[in-house]
Amino acid sequence: MMNITLTEAEKAIHAAKVKAEELGVKMDIAIVDAGTNLTAFARMDGAWLGSIDIAMKKAKTARYFNMNTGDIGNLSQPGGPLFNIEHSNGGLISFPGGVPIKNSDDEVIGAIGVSGSTVEDDHAVAVAGANALLSKAVEA
């Protein structure tokens, strides 16, 4: 199994911070490896303390299921096939802001979780971080 390196995680955090600054928001940014172990974390000055745990859980959720957390949220609505999944695995986050990170061979090597603003901003910042490791950006 391939894992994200610290150097790659730091590159993803840098790209996410640049996007957050572009949007004018303060974020907590977590990177986990393929085994969901925290590899890198950044709390931008003034970012919400309550978003630290959310960012880490978004990253883990994205890696557990290898999909964007917003997609899990769509599937976990009442009547949906994953209803109540957020209660599994010690607590998941099922709204946007978590994105799997893939290498250039399209293998999942970790995930990024971002929290601190609207879910739209969280997702945009997470995508920027995840795309930092790809030579060609993709819409996550």
Side-chain angles (χ1 to χ4, degrees), residues 35-122:
T36 72
N37 302 294
L38 186 64
T39 301
F41 182 85
R43 178 175 173 257
M44 295 176 72
D45 294 340
W48 293 328
L49 293 174
S51 290
I52 294 170
D53 181 60
I54 294 170
M56 290 189 292
K57 284 183 178 173
K58 284 181 181 183
K60 287 182 177 186
T61 301
R63 174 57 185 122
Y64 283 151
F65 300 100
N66 293 336
M67 67 173 69
N68 295 343
T69 53
D71 294 341
I72 293 169
N74 290 335
L75 297 169
S76 66
Q77 297 302 307
L82 299 180
F83 182 60
N84 278 329
I85 196 169
E86 65 274 7
H87 301 292
S88 71
N89 295 287
L92 301 176
I93 300 293
S94 58
F95 47 88
V99 175
I101 296 175
K102 296 180 179 183
N103 63 17
S104 58
D105 294 326
D106 205 36
E107 300 167 312
V108 176
I109 58 172
I112 182 170
V114 176
S115 184
S117 184
T118 64
V119 294
E120 294 82 8
D121 286 348
D122 291 358

Side-chain angles (χ1 to χ4, degrees), residues 1-58:
M1 172 182 350
M2 297 293 298
N3 262 323
I4 192 168
T5 66
L6 178 58
T7 300
E8 291 168 328
E10 289 171 337
K11 184 177 180 181
I13 283 183
H14 175 74
K17 286 173 33 182
V18 167
K19 182 66 172 179
E21 290 166 357
E22 176 186 307
L23 295 172
V25 295
K26 299 169 184 173
M27 299 289 198
D28 292 294
I29 306 160
I31 308 288
V32 297
D33 66 14
T36 72
N37 302 294
L38 186 64
T39 301
F41 182 85
R43 178 175 173 257
M44 295 176 72
D45 294 340
W48 293 328
L49 293 174
S51 290
I52 294 170
D53 181 60
I54 294 170
M56 290 189 292
K57 284 183 178 173
K58 284 181 181 183

